[in-house]
Amino acid sequence: MTKDGNPARSLGINTQLVRTGYDPFDYYGFVNPPPVRASTVLFPTAEIMDTHAQKYTYGTRGTPTTNALCDAIDELEGSAGTILVPSGLAAVTIAFLAYLSPGDHALVADSVYGPTRHFCETMLSRFGVEADFYDPMIGVHIEKLFRPNTRLVHTEAPGSNTFEMQDIPAIAEVAHRHGAVVTMDNTWATPLYFRPLDFGVDVSIQAVTKYPAGHSDILMGTVSANERHWPRLKETNGALGICGAPDDAYQVLRGLRTMGVRLERHQESALAVARWLESRDDVAQVLHPALPGFPGHDLWKRDFKGASGIFSFVPAVERKQDHKRKAQIFLNALTLFRLGYSWGGFTSLALHVNLFDRKVTPPPTGGPVLRLQIGLEDVSDLIADLEKGFAAIAAA
Ligand SMILES: *Cc1c(COP(=O)(O)O)cnc(C)c1O
């Protein structure tokens, strides 16, 4: 049940997004919650201070604004508790720090977000935790990679930049049989299109920097745990003192209200562009899980409710030594697509993907891999822009 007595699951997702997390009549009827900025919280008596017998005690432990966002994310994820951290990357690293100890072993999808791999190979390794990278399409065969000290399996589906799907329920079943916690970076789908905890994941991670914030101007991460794994996550958050800022939480909550309709448009436009790319002779491959020809499409269809607006494609470029230069020529010819990393905003973006760090999954070979974030512009304009890119590499 939500605070206003509505059975949450019977409401449509857009209705939920409009109402979740905050009741305007908790604050005089104002539609949005106040951004409460705080370090000090006052206690009315020494007795209450001694027992911490009030809802808020200190700025790092939450304010009405950050709590409103945590409540909203809990409702969307179906989680027991959510913490806010200052970036999506911090959301991944804090989850690893919560559940891993020296001597432990972790299994991490090879198609993982690049900086997550960097964290595993530097800090985790320095702290005596060994991480192995597995083929994201491995499914139940992940079992053969388990060791007696495997404590965490990190998933991300679809994978960063190459969009491999994962059989999440199968991996979660094996992991639980071996006593490992299952974490998932669910930034691509958001809980609107995939609810990790319903598929056996213990801890769902989002860079809410992306679609929830939605305007390329906020950095924030959320980590949401099921009942069993919530106490450890909350305790780690308190121990590290890494918390989300109220002004950013305010903006993310505001972004959630419109995320459903934005995602619908991102999805529709991205699919239109992906299908157009797929129909071209000068395209070697389109890496988009919602395309029927894509390996892993069946998993996407089985488990996901939708697709967001980011995918990659491979323009056909024969000689490997030309890949980089042709990618640069293509990208420089674009005017509506801008060159930039963090996606989920309203503007379309493109970049040349670097896959040098992959350990077990071979990158596509038919040309350079170009990643597109399809924004909220009109599709016909975006396609015309991409035409310029193809014309430029053909002329080069
Ligand atoms: C962007 C991204 C992150 C990191 O988010 P930041 O807020 O930029 O740190 C983590 N995981 C995935 C899959 C991402 O795309």
Side-chain angles (χ1 to χ4, degrees):
M1 301 282 272
T2 58
K3 275 197 267 184
D4 49 5
N6 289 313
R9 297 308 301 160
S10 71
L11 295 171
I13 190 65
N14 287 299
T15 313
Q16 245 182 298
L17 285 171
V18 164
R19 301 177 68 90
T20 188
Y22 168 71
D23 179 351
F25 291 99
D26 284 353
Y27 198 76
Y28 307 106
F30 292 102
V31 169
N32 291 303
V36 176
R37 305 185 186 92
S39 56
T40 310
V41 181
L42 302 178
F43 299 84
T45 67
E47 288 79 6
I48 292 176
M49 190 174 202
D50 279 342
T51 53
H52 273 194
Q54 66 182 31
K55 186 163 181 186
Y56 299 103
T57 56
Y58 194 74
T60 55
R61 304 287 170 139
T63 70
T65 319
T66 57
N67 259 28
L69 178 58
C70 290
D71 287 351
I73 300 288
D74 277 334
E75 186 178 325
L76 298 173
E77 296 270 15
S79 47
T82 290
I83 62 164
L84 305 181
V85 292
S87 72
L89 179 57
V92 178
T93 60
I94 205 166
F96 284 18
L97 292 172
Y99 302 106
L100 289 164
S101 304
D104 287 350
H105 173 241
L107 289 168
V108 178
D110 194 40
S111 50
V112 76
Y113 177 64
T116 297
R117 182 195 303 276
H118 178 78
F119 175 76
C120 293
E121 290 178 335
T122 54
M123 194 169 285
L124 269 193
S125 142
R126 184 149 58 78
F127 288 172
V129 175
E130 205 180 330
D132 277 330
F133 296 90
Y134 63 89
D135 177 349
M137 300 285 282
I138 196 168
V140 292
H141 304 295
I142 197 167
E143 183 135 28
K144 60 178 185 279
L145 302 178
F146 273 77
R147 301 187 196 162
N149 59 339
T150 305
R151 289 284 165 269
L152 183 144
V153 179
H154 183 66
T155 61
E156 183 183 323
S160 278
N161 298 326
T162 40
F163 303 93
E164 292 89 346
M165 290 301 301
Q166 294 198 248
D167 192 339
I168 299 293
I171 290 172
E173 192 278 322
V174 174
H176 289 153
R177 212 153 17 78
H178 289 264
V181 58
V182 180
T183 55
M184 178 170 187
D185 187 332
N186 192 40
T187 300
W188 185 85
T190 84
L192 268 56
Y193 291 160
F194 184 71
R195 296 224 312 172
L197 271 51
D198 291 348
F199 290 81
V201 170
D202 300 301
V203 178
S204 175
I205 296 161
Q206 293 186 69
V208 292
T209 301
K210 305 285 170 50
Y211 291 115
H215 294 75
S216 307
D217 53 0
I218 302 289
L219 289 163
M220 185 170 269
T222 61
V223 192
S224 305
N226 60 17
E227 203 75 53
R228 177 153 181 249
H229 292 91
W230 168 237
R232 176 70 82 92
L233 181 62
K234 186 173 159 60
E235 148 50 41
T236 304
N237 190 214
L240 287 171
I242 298 173
C243 53
D247 289 278
D248 296 342
Y250 174 91
Q251 294 286 4
V252 174
L253 189 64
R254 193 173 188 261
L256 281 183
R257 308 302 183 199
T258 58
M259 185 169 79
V261 290
R262 283 187 286 111
L263 268 180
E264 273 174 43
R265 175 60 80 90
H266 285 295
Q267 162 166 252
E268 185 185 311
S269 300
L271 266 171
V273 173
R275 290 198 187 103
W276 174 77
L277 287 167
E278 201 176 39
S279 73
R280 293 184 65 98
D281 293 337
D282 50 2
V283 170
Q285 227 178 318
V286 182
L287 310 173
H288 190 312
L291 293 178
F294 185 72
H297 172 71
D298 290 348
L299 289 173
W300 176 80
K301 208 168 153 182
R302 188 190 71 188
D303 296 342
F304 282 54
K305 289 206 198 82
S308 62
I310 182 162
F311 67 96
S312 293
F313 75 101
V314 182
V317 176
E318 221 161 83
R319 298 185 326 158
K320 177 117 178 64
Q321 62 267 40
D322 295 339
H323 286 187
K324 189 171 189 177
R325 186 67 203 128
K326 293 267 184 161
Q328 290 169 343
I329 290 169
F330 190 102
L331 294 174
N332 284 336
L334 306 176
T335 54
L336 293 179
F337 282 87
R338 301 278 174 72
L339 311 182
Y341 290 106
S342 187
W343 40 276
F346 47 83
T347 187
S348 289
L349 301 171
L351 57 80
H352 179 206
V353 168
N354 194 338
L355 298 168
F356 72 93
D357 60 352
R358 292 290 164 96
K359 297 240 177 349
V360 291
T361 45
T365 51
V369 179
L370 302 181
R371 190 184 82 185
L372 300 178
Q373 122 94 5
I374 304 300
L376 300 177
E377 303 91 339
D378 292 294
V379 171
S380 53
D381 294 331
L382 295 179
I383 286 180
D385 206 38
L386 293 171
E387 293 266 22
K388 291 186 209 154
F390 285 109
I393 49 174

